[in-house]
Amino acid sequence: MRVLLTGSSGWLGRYLAPRLAAAGHEVVGLDPAPGEHTDVLGSVADRALIDRVFADHGIEAVVHSGALHKPDIVRYPAQAFVDVNVTGTLNLLEAAVAAGHDRLVFTSTTSLMITEAIRAGRGGGAIKAAWLDESFGPLEPRNIYGVTKRSAEQLCHLYHAQHGMAVMVLRTGRFFPEEDDTHRHLDGLNIKANEFLGRRLTVEDAADAHVVALARAAEIGFGTFILAAPTPFAREEAEELLRDARSVIARHYPDAAELYARAGWTLPDHIDRVYDSGHAERVLGFRCRTDFAAVLNALRTGADLPFEHDPTYASPLL
C-alpha cells in the first residue's frame, strides 16, 4: 500500500518508515521538519496540503504518528496542540474517508490515562498501584497533551462508527530517548531501566506494533491497545508494589538488586502504575520483544543496554 506516515522526522517516524518499507509498503513521509524519511514538508493541520498529498501520491492508508508531545508544552501554546493533535487528526480522517480508505493507525499515548490521583497512589480508589488496561476509566487527562490526544482518539472512534473505517488506536508507553522532563532523582539510564517494569517499551517495539496494526486493522475494525513491555507483575501485587516494590521485584528477579548495585543504580521503592499490555497480545497479536528481563540480562553479561538513551535529543520544531 501507499502509506502516508505523519511525523516521519520524529523519533518514532525514523524507525517506523524503514519498517513499513520492509513490509512492502510505499511510504510517503510528512513532517514540518526535514528528515531522512520525509518527502513532504508541512503540517497535518493544513487541510489543503493533506488533500494535495493524498491526490498527488495516491495515498491508500495512513499511519498518524505526528503530534505535539508533553515536552512541547513549554515550547508551544495550547492552541498549537489543538491545531496539530485534534484538527490534524480530523483532517486525516476526513481525507481518508473521502479517498475511500479502509484503515488508519493512530499513535496515542498512555499519558492520557494518568490522573493526579494515580500519581498520588490512589488510582484504584485504594492505596495501591493503578493497574491500567483498556477498560480503565473515567479518563481525566491532566494536561493539554493528554486532553488533545484523548479528543483525537474520540474522533477516531466517531469516524469508525459513522463511516466504517478501521482504526487502530495505539496507546504507547514511554519510548522517548531524552531525559525525563519532570523527574531527575536518578540517572537517566536508571530511570528508563526501572520503567521497563511497567510503563516503557523500546522505540523498535513501538514501530513494529504499528506495522502489525496496519496489517490487522481491516480484520479487527476498531481497537484501542496499550503498548508497553510485558510486566512481570500480577494485579494482586498492586498494593505491595506501591508499599514495597523492591520486595516484589526480588520475588520475580532474585538477582536484580545485586545487578543494580554493580551498575550503581537504584531499584524503585514504590511503583504507582502498571500498564497491562495483555489486550494487545491477545487481540492484536503483538508482544514487545524487550522487557525488564532483557535489561537485567544486559547488566549480567555486560552487553549493550537494549534501549536508547540520548540526553541531548529534542523533537523537531514545527
Side-chain angles (χ1 to χ4, degrees), residues 42-63:
S43 171
V44 292
D46 184 344
R47 178 56 193 274
L49 173 64
I50 296 299
D51 288 341
R52 287 198 303 274
V53 171
F54 270 63
D56 292 348
H57 296 274
I59 299 300
E60 297 172 298
V62 177
V63 176

Side-chain angles (χ1 to χ4, degrees), residues 160-183:
H160 165 71
Q162 289 186 340
H163 303 283
M165 184 168 61
V167 183
M168 301 288 97
V169 174
L170 305 183
R171 289 183 184 166
T172 62
R174 292 180 162 203
F175 58 82
F176 57 78
E178 67 265 38
E179 299 284 3
D180 189 294
D181 64 341
T182 54
H183 302 291

